Amino acid sequence: TGRGIYELALSPPEGPKVFSSTHPDQNKWYKNNSPTLEWEKEAGITDFSYSIDKDFGGAPDNISEGKGNSISYTDLEDSIWYFHIRAKKGDVWGGVTHYILKIDTTPPAAFNLNFESGAASIISTQYPIISFITTDALSGLDHYELKNINLSKVPEGEAEFFVEVTSPYRLSFKNGAYKVVVRAFDKAGNWRDSSETLSVIPKGYFIVTRGGINFWIIFLPWWGIILILGILIIIIIAIIFLSRRYHVKVYRERE
């Protein structure tokens, strides 16, 4: 038999386990663009090297970033980011862990509300159908919510709740003035509002509102009504004055 001499070296460590308190789910989009990342530090680890970029296959270099086990980034642009980290144990750099950060701070695109009757300012039906559609370039559209505000009950009307809806959607009103607000959400939680103010007036009817008087498709604001009444009063006074002068003149000529 012979004698053998063996030198045993520790195997290189696997990539450290990474987690985030600000972006805990790698499959989910977040509107927070200042993520914080932390990782476990096993016994024997002396250094860490890490980097962040938009390349899933990226890897950090073999230059130590220190012994700390957390890092925070600020104001990252909207995109899918990849955090790469490896640990050093003894003189050996280990494998790389990749952590995905999905960031979207931009709300959905602006959009309009469309009513089946065309113009949204005055409608005759109490059950109009409203449609709406928008897009989101990065995380994608998630859902819509809608709120009706009865303008005759402001400020109580402001307390109305949003309800989740899909387009097209049938509204339900009584006669009067309303503000319809549709809110579009993307998958990161960003949202954008679109709203329309309308009056529900049956044909041949008129309704007195806080802003004025509606008579089907004709709307007269209170200031316009006051102006018209003022002009009529002036005309009536002028007619009375001229009529009295005329009668006085005729009476004098007869004398």
Side-chain angles (χ1 to χ4, degrees), residues 2 13 48 50 76 81-82 110 116 134 141 148 183 189 199 202 205 243:
F48 294 101
Y50 48 82
L76 295 181
W81 293 87
Y82 300 94
E116 61 177 351
T134 187
L141 198 67
N148 291 330
R183 179 168 292 177
S199 295
Y205 283 74
S243 177

Side-chain angles (χ1 to χ4, degrees), residues 49-126:
S49 178
Y50 48 82
S51 62
I52 189 170
D53 54 37
K54 300 178 183 178
D55 180 12
F56 176 77
D61 53 30
N62 291 338
I63 299 174
S64 174
E65 306 289 348
K67 301 179 181 179
N69 66 332
S70 67
I71 182 68
S72 294
Y73 296 95
T74 58
D75 298 327
L76 295 181
E77 66 180 32
D78 290 1
S79 186
I80 299 177
W81 293 87
Y82 300 94
F83 177 74
H84 318 286
I85 184 170
R86 61 170 26 131
K88 186 178 182 182
K89 196 171 188 178
D91 294 327
V92 180
W93 286 100
V96 179
T97 296
H98 308 279
Y99 194 91
I100 303 173
L101 299 168
K102 295 183 176 182
I103 297 175
D104 179 9
T105 64
T106 306
F111 61 103
N112 297 319
L113 306 184
N114 301 304
F115 290 80
E116 61 177 351
S117 57
S121 57
I122 299 176
I123 57 177
S124 60
T125 176
Q126 294 181 334

Side-chain angles (χ1 to χ4, degrees), residues 170-192:
R170 184 180 292 277
L171 298 162
S172 178
F173 296 122
K174 295 181 180 179
N175 296 340
Y178 295 86
K179 183 177 182 180
V180 179
V181 182
V182 174
R183 179 168 292 177
F185 288 84
D186 66 16
K187 293 180 180 179
N190 304 296
W191 52 268
R192 185 184 295 275

Side-chain angles (χ1 to χ4, degrees), residues 218-239:
I218 299 174
F219 174 72
L220 292 176
W222 288 117
W223 64 265
I225 295 172
I226 293 173
L227 179 62
I228 292 172
L229 290 176
I231 293 173
L232 289 176
I233 291 173
I234 293 173
I235 292 173
I236 292 172
I237 292 174
I239 291 173

Side-chain angles (χ1 to χ4, degrees), residues 140-248:
L141 198 67
D142 188 68
H143 70 280
Y144 296 96
E145 294 183 5
L146 181 145
K147 175 171 73 172
N148 291 330
I149 300 174
N150 189 336
L151 298 180
S152 64
K153 295 183 178 180
V154 173
E156 291 82 359
E158 296 291 348
E160 296 294 328
F161 295 103
F162 279 97
V163 295
E164 187 170 341
V165 298
T166 57
S167 178
Y169 182 75
R170 184 180 292 277
L171 298 162
S172 178
F173 296 122
K174 295 181 180 179
N175 296 340
Y178 295 86
K179 183 177 182 180
V180 179
V181 182
V182 174
R183 179 168 292 177
F185 288 84
D186 66 16
K187 293 180 180 179
N190 304 296
W191 52 268
R192 185 184 295 275
D193 282 352
S194 181
S195 62
E196 289 283 356
T197 300
L198 56 90
S199 295
V200 181
I201 306 172
K203 293 183 178 181
Y205 283 74
F206 74 92
I207 294 178
V208 178
T209 67
R210 293 170 62 90
I213 296 177
N214 281 98
F215 181 74
W216 181 218
I217 61 173
I218 299 174
F219 174 72
L220 292 176
W222 288 117
W223 64 265
I225 295 172
I226 293 173
L227 179 62
I228 292 172
L229 290 176
I231 293 173
L232 289 176
I233 291 173
I234 293 173
I235 292 173
I236 292 172
I237 292 174
I239 291 173
I240 294 173
F241 176 75
L242 293 175
S243 177
R244 291 188 63 182
R245 287 192 60 183
Y246 173 77
H247 284 90
V248 169

